[in-house]
Amino acid sequence: MPSRPIPTPEELSAAADRQRAGIDALTLQTTHSLHGPGPTAQHAQELTATRTPEELQLIRDAAARLG
């Protein structure tokens, strides 16, 4: 069985960013399901205050995949 190549630090960082974005998107979806749009909007504002534009795009992409 051929061994898999060792990921570069950049690849590991990108994978971690995508994983964090997926967690953020799932958290927003759960907040909306449990508490409705008002708390979700507040939660989203808190996220935007602490994330870079690139991270926010990853969160949007992850949310789109969640449906």
Side-chain angles (χ1 to χ4, degrees):
M1 173 186 251
S3 63
R4 293 179 22 200
I6 297 173
T8 66
E10 293 80 16
E11 291 169 331
L12 291 173
S13 178
D17 289 345
R18 286 190 305 274
Q19 195 168 41
R20 278 190 298 276
I23 291 168
D24 287 340
L26 186 58
T27 301
L28 284 171
Q29 183 182 48
T30 302
T31 300
H32 188 271
S33 295
L34 294 175
H35 305 291
T40 303
Q42 180 181 353
H43 188 178
Q45 287 175 344
E46 292 168 2
L47 278 178
T48 60
T50 60
R51 301 299 194 274
T52 66
E54 294 81 14
E55 290 171 323
L56 292 174
Q57 186 58 52
L58 287 173
I59 293 169
R60 285 186 203 97
D61 294 345
R65 286 191 301 275
L66 287 174

